[in-house]
Amino acid sequence: PFSAKCMKVAACNDHSLILLEGNVLLSLGTNDHGQLGRHVGTSEELKNPSLEPDHFRIDAAHFGATPIRGMAAGWSHCAAVTESGQLYCWGNGSRGQLGIDHTSGSAVPREVKGFSSGVKVAQVSCGESFTVVLDDRGGLWSFGEANYGKLGQGESAVAVVTVPKPILPELPKVN
């Protein structure tokens, strides 16, 4: 139903992200944790949504109007990477999965800081309550719920990591 070409999609649980040509990011579905990254309107609007792209648009100003390279959808949070290598997360932050140094959620995209100086994000993936990032140097980072070793940061008594931390900083050499 949209006249613009769809460039990328991401979906999980009850929500989806669609990146249209022209750097228009749309969000669809449930917003019980702010994972749509925008104001969803009244309950009447939710029952009978407009099919116009503007109804579903996440404001590009949240990303500094920088083009989006990719995005990911987790159980109740989302993330987007800009062409300039910045990472933005929004939605449920109760397990630190937004990487914004606390466990509060955010109904709008928030820039994730805390990467080493000069590191640019190349790709992001979201799990149920954690986020994993690939940087432009081939480094891996993670944050969120740390149980079962899923953050790749070794054994730790820390249950929640609220800022980006390197995964396996010393990767084994392959012969």
Side-chain angles (χ1 to χ4, degrees):
F2 303 132
S3 59
K5 179 180 173 183
C6 292
M7 306 301 288
K8 296 184 184 219
V9 297
C12 186
N13 194 21
D14 293 330
H15 60 283
S16 305
L17 297 174
I18 302 168
L19 182 62
L20 298 177
E21 193 172 45
N23 197 44
V24 174
L25 183 60
L26 308 179
S27 60
L28 311 155
T30 187
N31 196 41
D32 51 346
H33 295 283
Q35 64 266 44
L36 295 185
R38 60 179 173 79
H39 173 70
V40 295
T42 66
S43 59
E44 188 57 37
E45 288 172 323
L46 293 174
K47 289 178 192 169
N48 300 299
S50 160
L51 291 180
E52 295 300 315
D54 281 347
H55 182 81
F56 302 103
R57 183 188 307 246
I58 299 175
D59 188 351
H62 293 301
F63 308 104
T66 306
I68 295 167
R69 175 185 302 153
M71 68 274 190
W75 186 259
S76 59
H77 74 292
C78 293
V81 178
T82 66
E83 288 290 340
S84 60
Q86 296 163 298
L87 176 65
Y88 293 83
C89 291
W90 62 95
N92 185 356
S94 66
R95 306 304 295 160
Q97 64 266 46
L98 300 185
I100 54 177
D101 203 18
H102 55 74
T103 56
S104 298
S106 178
V108 295
R110 302 261 319 267
E111 185 176 0
V112 178
K113 299 184 182 193
F115 295 100
S116 298
S117 179
V119 167
K120 295 185 183 302
V121 174
Q123 187 177 340
V124 63
S125 184
C126 297
E128 179 177 346
S129 57
F130 65 104
T131 304
V132 179
V133 173
L134 171 67
D135 70 33
D136 63 338
R137 301 172 184 173
L140 298 169
W141 303 76
S142 62
F143 43 91
E145 187 174 52
N147 62 346
Y148 307 114
K150 63 188 168 196
L151 296 185
Q153 297 173 2
E155 293 297 320
S156 173
V158 177
V160 172
V161 176
T162 61
V163 294
K165 298 284 185 192
I167 295 177
L168 302 171
E170 307 260 340
L171 290 173
K173 295 190 186 218
V174 178
N175 294 327

